[in-house]
Amino acid sequence: MKKYSLVFLFFMLLSISCKKDFLDVKPQGNLTSALFPQSAADALLAVNAVYGSMHDWNIYSGGYPIADLLSDDAEKGSNPGDQSHLNLYKSYQFTPSIEELPRWYAALYKGIKFANVVNEKVSIIEMDVALRTRYIAEARFFRAMFYFNLVRAFGDVPKVINLEAERKMPRSPKQEIYNEIIIPDLEYAIVNLPSKNSYGADDIGRASKGAAQSLMAKVYLYLADYTKAEQYAMDVINTNDYALMPQFTDAFSVAGQYGSESIFEVGAREFENTAQGGNQYANTQGVRGAPNKGWGFNRPSVDLANFFEPGDARNTGTIISLGDIIDGVLIVGDISTPDITYSDPPTNSIIKEKETYNRKVWTPGTNTSTEWGHNIRIIRYAEVLLIASEALVRNGNSGQALIYINQIRQRAGLGALATVDLDVVYKERRAEMAMESDRFYDLLRTGRAAQVLGPLGFVAGKNELFPIPQSEIDLSEGALTQNPGW
Amino acid sequence: MKFFYNLLIALLIGQSAFAQALIVKGKIISKEDNQPLIGVTVVVKGGVKGVATDVEGNYSISLNPGEDTLKFSYIGYKPQVKAVNNQTEINVTLELDAQMLVEVVAVGYGTQRKSDLTGAVSSVRGADITKIPSASPEMALQGKVAGVQVSSVSGQPGAAPVVRIRGVGTLNDASPIYVVDGVILDDISFLSSADIESFEVLKDASATAIYGSRGANGVIIVTTKSGKGKADGKPEINFSSEFSLQHLAKKIDLLNGREFAEVVNIISPGSYNNLDAVANTDWQKEVLNDYAPMQSYNASLSGIAGKYNYYFGGGFFKQEGIVPKSTYERVTIKLNNIYTFSDHFRVGVNLTATPFKTQNPAGVIPTLYRAWPVSVPFNPDGSFAEVGGSGNPLADIEYTNNTTQHIRSVGAAFAELKLFKNFTFKTSYGFDLAYAKDRSFTPVFFVSPSQSADLSSLTVKNTQDKLWLFENTLTYNKTFGKHTLNVLGGITAQENTSGHLGGSVKDLIGDDPSLWYLSTGDQTTLTVDNPGDVISRLQSYLFRVNYQYDNRYLFTGSFRRDGSSKFGKNNRYGNFPSAAVGWNIINEKFMADTKLSNLKLRASWGIIGNEKIEGTKQYSLIDNGINPVFGNAENLNSGSSYGVTGNENLKWEETQQTDLGLEIGFLNNRLRGELDYYRKVTDGILVNLQVPGHLGNGAFATVTYNAAKVLNSGVELTLSWTDKIGNLNYTIGGNASSVNNEVLELGATTGANSFIISGSLGNGQSVTRTVVGHSIGEFYGYNVIGVFQNQAELDASPKLNGQQVGDLKYEDTNHDGVITTDDRTYLGSYIPKLVYGFNLTLNYKSFDFLMDFSGQMGNKIYNGKAEIRPDLYNFEANVKDHWNGDGTSNSEPMPSSGGVNYEPSSYFLQNGSFFRLRSLTVNYNFSSKLVSKLKLGKASVYVRATNLFTVSKYSGYTPEIATEDALSSGIDLGVYPVTAVYSVGINFNF
């Protein structure tokens, strides 16, 4: 009996001896926010993640180039039934609950959070001060860009500038976002970022002073402060760090990656997942069927094809047609997609749509993974020339604007013009920037949207802004208001 | 055998003759059926001498002078004592002992007499356990236990059913826990039904609160078989084998080639100009096997050898599916041993080892549902043809190669020690080890541009899950006078770890299975999948007291304190008390003259908890792999940043449950009934809520909150009647339970979320909403009130943009004259209002005839597979009755493929009620003469049909549509068909 009692004691002691911290289980395989970032190496990881957010499919307007669909440049594409809800953008019948908007909105704020991690946490890490400052400047460049995309699309939005955001936040006026975030962030970036050429070979692709200046020029264009727009655009031009690529298509090609025209682009590798550096942006729009097996969304419209002047290299540089041979590869297209659809069946005299694809995301190859390697060009020197031209014209210096407009036209294989006015700049801007999600905002900015897009369904007083996603309004329980007209 | 007895008797006679003793003979029969009782012990009272009755119930014993009293005893019967008084023949009729018959049921951390229970506990045991041919033992509970809903949601080999006890109490995983011989588990797929002795379903708080944190969704206690003594001390050996054929119980009525072409000609005029020339492929016939075999073999050997109680079981189960290339193959090895060293000390071990293998089919059901009947399966050259819809299902099957090999071992070792007086100490170490190796290979193939692979690819994943559970309990048992007291205290600790290492590679050097390794592919495409292990721990203190006075007044009180690593330091511990009382009115003196044989009242109250969430939800984790690419050389750089925000304030989900029960028996318990009312209020439900986008967690990211309060209440009734007419014995039993489910509060503790959107169809559309005042996960969409018959009606009615004559007419629920998303409304629930089952057992001479029915009423099914239509797919036959001009149809719109008629709406909702003959068995028991000639104990053969017929209006394969996700259940996205099964089997033992 006694020895059994000892057995009993043994087990009782064993079970009581469970350590006090038995229930403290560290998460495996992940650090927690309390422990990161702490070192210089962490700081680099944190700033890299801000760039990494550009591989998030949703950050490009929820995956699908809806700004192009809303413009006169593009049709939905793919085969008719595929993602047919995207036609609701085309017809301006989309509602605040359409699915791209919340994904896009959330992806932009996720990027903003990553930037805030650097701004708030890296700034207190003890490390090389110059490097630390550069990291913060890189992050703030992104934060400005993300907020610029937010206010351009949604207008007033919640202002999140640190990691302790409230769950219920009202919208801040977009002017406040410009004044307190976008402009100060870009000013900081311009001062503290190195020029494009001072990055080492392995750091090419990081945000540069030129990128920040270019974005600032664009921001002021949208704020209609043409003096400042001209000033920042000229700053970029005067660095002489940039030049147009001789061939228009090389501004987008694999060979032209990080070329002289590239001010800011998103590096990507040919892997069908983001952790390995892939980016699905081009796959979404790539040639459907043979050869690329892309999804084929965002199809250049007949209107766009007809818009180009004869001989404009940007026509075939923007639009892929069936039967083209590009980089030695025959474009066959998709069997299940009609090659041509007509507006007036069965007479079939008016072409509504042709099976075409966006040349600006073209990657040579016969499988999808090559498309994941496409580097998206976020800011090109051509755009800076266009910003400068517009600002110069508006500021009364058409003579200098003409130089830049003609640089662009000559590269496109067109003759030089003798004079330039705003209409000329607008025309060149459409031809140059088509299918780059710019046209819709540009029409809004210049007050031409109702006139140009009215026939497509654009409603003045409503479609100047996207609606705040319905799910965000529901989640905010009254803190967020909807845009007018929605 | 008889020879042995004769010899024994002869020897006894010889001996007694020598001793000049008296020889007493006699026959012992049972009072119930006048049948001889075999193996009755006959002993001389006060002495050591004894014999047992033979197969005819006869005994013979020689008595020495002075030995004048005999005691006759038999398990389950009241013993009798007879004075010899020089009689030479004493025949005895033994009577069943009502006390002994009283069921002993397993409860948490012990057993109790059913009459002593204060909680709602239901048992399933005996032949009922092996009645359904299935890899899942829990199928035995279907239709058998009031308050338990078991849905066999998939006919895929090895697929486990979805089990719900007393409604849906939580928004996440609402499955009960299983306690297998003391080890707490989430599933029992590793067990063979043949090795199970009993199921006990613990439903109310009094019964489940001892499991504290994990009891909220109910507890199912599974007791596996242990050694049973035979009178002669020899082992009992059992064999059973069964062979079944599974057959598609019901086809979905889809359009044939010509009908499809006619419908497409309406959608796109001129598509098919010669309707006589279109092909007609019946894809269900083309793809699904007519009959798929299933086989099951079990053998066991058990017994008691002195101090050693043993059970060895072995089983083999193999099921092929009606979808080609889907199989499940399982070996079960079971070992239950107890060694009793002394009255004070015993040790035991319960072990299972279960290697099993699954071949996982392509998700081909949606594909064959969508496939155009005008497409043919093969090209003239024999290759797979391009098939309209979402591809060629036969090619999907051909090019999908996915197998998983599992090894699972569950067991526990225990030691039990009687200490001092009345104390028992038990220590037990349980474990559950699961290892799975998954390989999935796709070769290079081309059927069409959208159904092809440029490069071969391989994905592998090795998963390892481990649980250990260390429990120490001390029990005090004492009876003094009319008082019986049982007190239990214990300390337990548990750890769960799961993790995996996997990877993928493309462009393998060859297609042969011998080359399906990561090393054979293009190494530049290698990816590694090795997230951190998920670890969670629990530490608990438990206490329970059962008190019983005079078999009349019962009281149970329990308390458990659980600490979980899933919650932050401040909310780590939860306290789970319960109290219950019972009154066995039948044992009161004033009931002495009643015709009732049982009358008992029970009442219980308690709080139980739930912590079924991922272990790291309290933490804000750092995400890795947010990697940018820099440099002309396109170098991959590592990036890490803040992931989804954690919720450091997470705490236990708590369910307060009240139960009132009445048990009643008439006519010596020939009529038995049990009635329970329950009310469960679950507060602080752990739910993943979408959070505002500006918090930066990314699209549709969710954070776990204690965010909702849900009520489940209902009534459960069980009735049975047992009687006989001549040689026909019969039992009719039935049970029914009602569930009322209502969300009481949402987001109260988080200050957000007035509703939860769920029920994603995977195409961006969501069809359920959870909101206060409705049940969990109600279907949400437009209410269809007809079809626009003509232009005048269209012009005069509120409508969606783009709606035409012949389209569905949606109800303007807010009467504002336009149809907007605000007009979507609540359309019904997937939760049945009533779940019922009944069964009939007939026994006539050597034949047994058993029928089990089950059913449910009042639920809806969302036919999601009909709605998802990004491309042109085949249609169900209802489309044939489409609107075709004013007054033709007010329910079926003009055919279309996508667009305004494919918004979530009541058009896709169907009645989910069904009534099913779940099982019908005819069993023949070989006569005892034949059996004993063969030196067998018992032998029987049977034929059985499972799911023989189902009465249901639902158009899909099966009306049992459920998922583990309480927010998104009842949506049919193309389930693997549940089959009708025809079986023959044989059981014998010796």
PDB file of all heavy atoms in Angstrom, chain A residues 260-279:
ATOM      1  N   SER A 260      16.357  53.714 -70.415  1.00  0.00           N
ATOM      2  CA  SER A 260      16.487  55.154 -70.183  1.00  0.00           C
ATOM      3  C   SER A 260      15.126  55.812 -69.948  1.00  0.00           C
ATOM      4  O   SER A 260      15.042  56.842 -69.295  1.00  0.00           O
ATOM      5  CB  SER A 260      17.167  55.798 -71.394  1.00  0.00           C
ATOM      6  OG  SER A 260      16.368  55.600 -72.548  1.00  0.00           O
ATOM      7  N   GLU A 261      14.061  55.208 -70.474  1.00  0.00           N
ATOM      8  CA  GLU A 261      12.746  55.829 -70.346  1.00  0.00           C
ATOM      9  C   GLU A 261      12.057  55.485 -69.032  1.00  0.00           C
ATOM     10  O   GLU A 261      11.096  56.118 -68.618  1.00  0.00           O
ATOM     11  CB  GLU A 261      11.861  55.389 -71.534  1.00  0.00           C
ATOM     12  CG  GLU A 261      10.540  56.127 -71.583  1.00  0.00           C
ATOM     13  CD  GLU A 261       9.781  55.881 -72.886  1.00  0.00           C
ATOM     14  OE1 GLU A 261      10.404  55.465 -73.879  1.00  0.00           O
ATOM     15  OE2 GLU A 261       8.566  56.101 -72.891  1.00  0.00           O
ATOM     16  N   SER A 262      12.587  54.453 -68.381  1.00  0.00           N
ATOM     17  CA  SER A 262      11.899  53.952 -67.194  1.00  0.00           C
ATOM     18  C   SER A 262      12.234  54.800 -65.979  1.00  0.00           C
ATOM     19  O   SER A 262      13.390  54.883 -65.569  1.00  0.00           O
ATOM     20  CB  SER A 262      12.318  52.502 -66.954  1.00  0.00           C
ATOM     21  OG  SER A 262      11.847  52.080 -65.708  1.00  0.00           O
ATOM     22  N   ILE A 263      11.237  55.450 -65.425  1.00  0.00           N
ATOM     23  CA  ILE A 263      11.459  56.243 -64.209  1.00  0.00           C
ATOM     24  C   ILE A 263      11.110  55.419 -62.977  1.00  0.00           C
ATOM     25  O   ILE A 263      11.795  55.459 -61.967  1.00  0.00           O
ATOM     26  CB  ILE A 263      10.651  57.553 -64.269  1.00  0.00           C
ATOM     27  CG1 ILE A 263      11.216  58.413 -65.405  1.00  0.00           C
ATOM     28  CG2 ILE A 263      10.722  58.300 -62.937  1.00  0.00           C
ATOM     29  CD1 ILE A 263      10.502  59.732 -65.596  1.00  0.00           C
ATOM     30  N   PHE A 264      10.042  54.678 -63.086  1.00  0.00           N
ATOM     31  CA  PHE A 264       9.734  53.762 -61.984  1.00  0.00           C
ATOM     32  C   PHE A 264       8.991  52.559 -62.546  1.00  0.00           C
ATOM     33  O   PHE A 264       7.992  52.701 -63.240  1.00  0.00           O
ATOM     34  CB  PHE A 264       8.889  54.451 -60.904  1.00  0.00           C
ATOM     35  CG  PHE A 264       8.741  53.606 -59.672  1.00  0.00           C
ATOM     36  CD1 PHE A 264       9.868  53.248 -58.933  1.00  0.00           C
ATOM     37  CD2 PHE A 264       7.504  53.136 -59.270  1.00  0.00           C
ATOM     38  CE1 PHE A 264       9.750  52.447 -57.807  1.00  0.00           C
ATOM     39  CE2 PHE A 264       7.382  52.329 -58.141  1.00  0.00           C
ATOM     40  CZ  PHE A 264       8.513  51.987 -57.412  1.00  0.00           C
ATOM     41  N   GLU A 265       9.512  51.380 -62.265  1.00  0.00           N
ATOM     42  CA  GLU A 265       8.858  50.165 -62.720  1.00  0.00           C
ATOM     43  C   GLU A 265       8.935  49.090 -61.653  1.00  0.00           C
ATOM     44  O   GLU A 265       9.728  49.187 -60.714  1.00  0.00           O
ATOM     45  CB  GLU A 265       9.450  49.672 -64.057  1.00  0.00           C
ATOM     46  CG  GLU A 265      10.854  49.107 -63.984  1.00  0.00           C
ATOM     47  CD  GLU A 265      11.352  48.683 -65.371  1.00  0.00           C
ATOM     48  OE1 GLU A 265      11.888  49.552 -66.096  1.00  0.00           O
ATOM     49  OE2 GLU A 265      11.211  47.497 -65.721  1.00  0.00           O
ATOM     50  N   VAL A 266       8.083  48.075 -61.806  1.00  0.00           N
ATOM     51  CA  VAL A 266       7.993  47.010 -60.813  1.00  0.00           C
ATOM     52  C   VAL A 266       8.667  45.766 -61.374  1.00  0.00           C
ATOM     53  O   VAL A 266       8.169  45.152 -62.316  1.00  0.00           O
ATOM     54  CB  VAL A 266       6.521  46.693 -60.471  1.00  0.00           C
ATOM     55  CG1 VAL A 266       6.449  45.601 -59.393  1.00  0.00           C
ATOM     56  CG2 VAL A 266       5.796  47.937 -59.997  1.00  0.00           C
ATOM     57  N   GLY A 267       9.816  45.430 -60.802  1.00  0.00           N
ATOM     58  CA  GLY A 267      10.538  44.245 -61.270  1.00  0.00           C
ATOM     59  C   GLY A 267       9.742  42.981 -60.988  1.00  0.00           C
ATOM     60  O   GLY A 267       9.040  42.886 -59.986  1.00  0.00           O
ATOM     61  N   ALA A 268       9.844  42.037 -61.915  1.00  0.00           N
ATOM     62  CA  ALA A 268       9.118  40.778 -61.702  1.00  0.00           C
ATOM     63  C   ALA A 268       9.888  39.637 -62.349  1.00  0.00           C
ATOM     64  O   ALA A 268      10.669  39.847 -63.275  1.00  0.00           O
ATOM     65  CB  ALA A 268       7.716  40.861 -62.298  1.00  0.00           C
ATOM     66  N   ARG A 269       9.676  38.451 -61.830  1.00  0.00           N
ATOM     67  CA  ARG A 269      10.325  37.262 -62.374  1.00  0.00           C
ATOM     68  C   ARG A 269       9.274  36.296 -62.911  1.00  0.00           C
ATOM     69  O   ARG A 269       8.110  36.351 -62.523  1.00  0.00           O
ATOM     70  CB  ARG A 269      11.156  36.569 -61.286  1.00  0.00           C
ATOM     71  CG  ARG A 269      12.208  37.500 -60.679  1.00  0.00           C
ATOM     72  CD  ARG A 269      13.325  36.720 -60.045  1.00  0.00           C
ATOM     73  NE  ARG A 269      12.829  35.698 -59.124  1.00  0.00           N
ATOM     74  CZ  ARG A 269      13.541  34.625 -58.769  1.00  0.00           C
ATOM     75  NH1 ARG A 269      14.746  34.432 -59.252  1.00  0.00           N
ATOM     76  NH2 ARG A 269      13.029  33.756 -57.921  1.00  0.00           N
ATOM     77  N   GLU A 270       9.724  35.424 -63.797  1.00  0.00           N
ATOM     78  CA  GLU A 270       8.781  34.540 -64.502  1.00  0.00           C
ATOM     79  C   GLU A 270       8.360  33.352 -63.638  1.00  0.00           C
ATOM     80  O   GLU A 270       8.698  32.206 -63.917  1.00  0.00           O
ATOM     81  CB  GLU A 270       9.412  34.052 -65.805  1.00  0.00           C
ATOM     82  CG  GLU A 270       9.626  35.180 -66.797  1.00  0.00           C
ATOM     83  CD  GLU A 270      10.260  34.703 -68.090  1.00  0.00           C
ATOM     84  OE1 GLU A 270      10.492  33.490 -68.233  1.00  0.00           O
ATOM     85  OE2 GLU A 270      10.523  35.557 -68.947  1.00  0.00           O
ATOM     86  N   PHE A 271       7.672  33.653 -62.556  1.00  0.00           N
ATOM     87  CA  PHE A 271       7.155  32.598 -61.687  1.00  0.00           C
ATOM     88  C   PHE A 271       5.688  32.859 -61.413  1.00  0.00           C
ATOM     89  O   PHE A 271       5.308  33.999 -61.179  1.00  0.00           O
ATOM     90  CB  PHE A 271       7.916  32.562 -60.361  1.00  0.00           C
ATOM     91  CG  PHE A 271       9.284  31.990 -60.486  1.00  0.00           C
ATOM     92  CD1 PHE A 271      10.374  32.830 -60.689  1.00  0.00           C
ATOM     93  CD2 PHE A 271       9.487  30.624 -60.447  1.00  0.00           C
ATOM     94  CE1 PHE A 271      11.643  32.303 -60.830  1.00  0.00           C
ATOM     95  CE2 PHE A 271      10.756  30.098 -60.578  1.00  0.00           C
ATOM     96  CZ  PHE A 271      11.839  30.936 -60.774  1.00  0.00           C
ATOM     97  N   GLU A 272       4.919  31.788 -61.424  1.00  0.00           N
ATOM     98  CA  GLU A 272       3.479  31.978 -61.246  1.00  0.00           C
ATOM     99  C   GLU A 272       3.102  32.092 -59.780  1.00  0.00           C
ATOM    100  O   GLU A 272       2.114  31.522 -59.331  1.00  0.00           O
ATOM    101  CB  GLU A 272       2.711  30.840 -61.921  1.00  0.00           C
ATOM    102  CG  GLU A 272       2.783  30.935 -63.426  1.00  0.00           C
ATOM    103  CD  GLU A 272       2.068  29.802 -64.128  1.00  0.00           C
ATOM    104  OE1 GLU A 272       0.940  29.490 -63.729  1.00  0.00           O
ATOM    105  OE2 GLU A 272       2.659  29.229 -65.051  1.00  0.00           O
ATOM    106  N   ASN A 273       3.938  32.744 -58.999  1.00  0.00           N
ATOM    107  CA  ASN A 273       3.484  33.123 -57.668  1.00  0.00           C
ATOM    108  C   ASN A 273       4.259  34.341 -57.212  1.00  0.00           C
ATOM    109  O   ASN A 273       5.373  34.597 -57.679  1.00  0.00           O
ATOM    110  CB  ASN A 273       3.560  31.963 -56.668  1.00  0.00           C
ATOM    111  CG  ASN A 273       4.963  31.582 -56.302  1.00  0.00           C
ATOM    112  OD1 ASN A 273       5.730  32.392 -55.799  1.00  0.00           O
ATOM    113  ND2 ASN A 273       5.319  30.342 -56.574  1.00  0.00           N
ATOM    114  N   THR A 274       3.640  35.114 -56.334  1.00  0.00           N
ATOM    115  CA  THR A 274       4.219  36.405 -55.990  1.00  0.00           C
ATOM    116  C   THR A 274       5.435  36.270 -55.087  1.00  0.00           C
ATOM    117  O   THR A 274       6.349  37.080 -55.177  1.00  0.00           O
ATOM    118  CB  THR A 274       3.174  37.294 -55.297  1.00  0.00           C
ATOM    119  OG1 THR A 274       2.687  36.594 -54.159  1.00  0.00           O
ATOM    120  CG2 THR A 274       2.031  37.613 -56.234  1.00  0.00           C
ATOM    121  N   ALA A 275       5.454  35.246 -54.234  1.00  0.00           N
ATOM    122  CA  ALA A 275       6.585  35.118 -53.312  1.00  0.00           C
ATOM    123  C   ALA A 275       7.888  34.908 -54.082  1.00  0.00           C
ATOM    124  O   ALA A 275       8.961  35.273 -53.612  1.00  0.00           O
ATOM    125  CB  ALA A 275       6.351  33.971 -52.338  1.00  0.00           C
ATOM    126  N   GLN A 276       7.783  34.335 -55.272  1.00  0.00           N
ATOM    127  CA  GLN A 276       8.981  34.156 -56.081  1.00  0.00           C
ATOM    128  C   GLN A 276       9.191  35.312 -57.041  1.00  0.00           C
ATOM    129  O   GLN A 276      10.031  35.245 -57.932  1.00  0.00           O
ATOM    130  CB  GLN A 276       8.903  32.842 -56.848  1.00  0.00           C
ATOM    131  CG  GLN A 276       9.185  31.640 -55.956  1.00  0.00           C
ATOM    132  CD  GLN A 276       9.081  30.347 -56.740  1.00  0.00           C
ATOM    133  OE1 GLN A 276       8.045  30.024 -57.278  1.00  0.00           O
ATOM    134  NE2 GLN A 276      10.174  29.617 -56.810  1.00  0.00           N
ATOM    135  N   GLY A 277       8.415  36.364 -56.878  1.00  0.00           N
ATOM    136  CA  GLY A 277       8.640  37.568 -57.658  1.00  0.00           C
ATOM    137  C   GLY A 277       7.754  37.710 -58.877  1.00  0.00           C
ATOM    138  O   GLY A 277       7.962  38.596 -59.700  1.00  0.00           O
ATOM    139  N   GLY A 278       6.772  36.844 -59.009  1.00  0.00           N
ATOM    140  CA  GLY A 278       5.871  36.957 -60.152  1.00  0.00           C
ATOM    141  C   GLY A 278       4.840  38.059 -59.949  1.00  0.00           C
ATOM    142  O   GLY A 278       4.612  38.523 -58.834  1.00  0.00           O
ATOM    143  N   ASN A 279       4.249  38.510 -61.061  1.00  0.00           N
ATOM    144  CA  ASN A 279       3.232  39.557 -61.017  1.00  0.00           C
ATOM    145  C   ASN A 279       2.185  39.217 -62.069  1.00  0.00           C
ATOM    146  O   ASN A 279       2.490  39.093 -63.244  1.00  0.00           O
ATOM    147  CB  ASN A 279       3.881  40.907 -61.310  1.00  0.00           C
ATOM    148  CG  ASN A 279       2.941  42.064 -61.039  1.00  0.00           C
ATOM    149  OD1 ASN A 279       1.719  41.931 -61.169  1.00  0.00           O
ATOM    150  ND2 ASN A 279       3.493  43.199 -60.676  1.00  0.00           N
TER     151      ASN A 279
END
